Amino acid sequence: MVFAFLFGLSMDYEVFILSRMREEYDNTGDTNGSVITGIGRTGRLVTSAALILFLAFMSLAASPGTQIKVLATGLAAGILLDATVIRALLVPAAVSLFGQANWWLPDWFARLLRVPPSHAHEGVPAGATPATETE
């Protein structure tokens, strides 16, 4: 139960952070700059939310029931780990490491999602279509 709850929370915040990074990448075409801007603009909000949840679960850990103590302690520790190690270190490092491969979306999958394809892997800016040769 702790894992399911933490997975749901972390995915919610990761989508928030990564969508901000993607918006910045679409504007600039620079992955490293988009990581800096994305974390800079969402980091305080996400960290504040994690701190509030951590404190709420720590207050629940002071309850007399053993089952609630175990659940609350596990959730508090997981949120603290997710906010510090995962969101602050691993996600920005992985996005910077993978570079333009983060933003690549195959044509067939883009058609399925009904969004424009991303040809970032070919050196074409995101949202643009590759130029075709005309005679």
Side-chain angles (χ1 to χ4, degrees):
M1 187 168 164
V2 170
F3 176 76
F5 190 81
L6 287 174
F7 183 78
L9 277 176
S10 67
M11 287 302 108
D12 186 35
Y13 289 125
E14 291 303 328
V15 167
F16 182 62
I17 292 170
L18 289 173
S19 64
R20 182 62 190 108
M21 286 181 191
R22 176 60 194 227
E23 288 172 2
E24 189 63 28
Y25 179 79
D26 286 343
N27 291 335
T28 64
D30 178 32
T31 300
N32 290 331
S34 67
V35 169
I36 292 167
T37 304
I39 292 294
R41 295 207 176 145
T42 61
R44 284 177 285 201
L45 176 69
V46 169
T47 303
S48 298
L51 183 61
I52 289 169
L53 283 172
F54 172 76
L55 293 173
F57 288 127
M58 285 309 294
S59 67
L60 279 176
S63 71
T66 305
Q67 292 174 340
I68 292 178
K69 278 186 180 185
V70 170
L71 182 67
T73 304
L75 288 171
I79 286 173
L80 192 62
L81 179 72
D82 181 50
T84 56
V85 176
I86 307 297
R87 285 187 232 148
L89 297 174
L90 292 180
V91 170
V95 172
S96 291
L97 180 68
F98 293 138
Q100 287 188 338
N102 290 299
W103 320 117
W104 177 68
L105 182 66
D107 291 341
W108 66 270
F109 198 61
R111 281 191 303 275
L112 182 69
L113 296 174
R114 297 180 185 183
V115 296
S118 175
H119 297 279
H121 69 290
E122 298 171 358
V124 179
T129 56
T132 56
E133 292 184 33
T134 57
E135 295 180 26

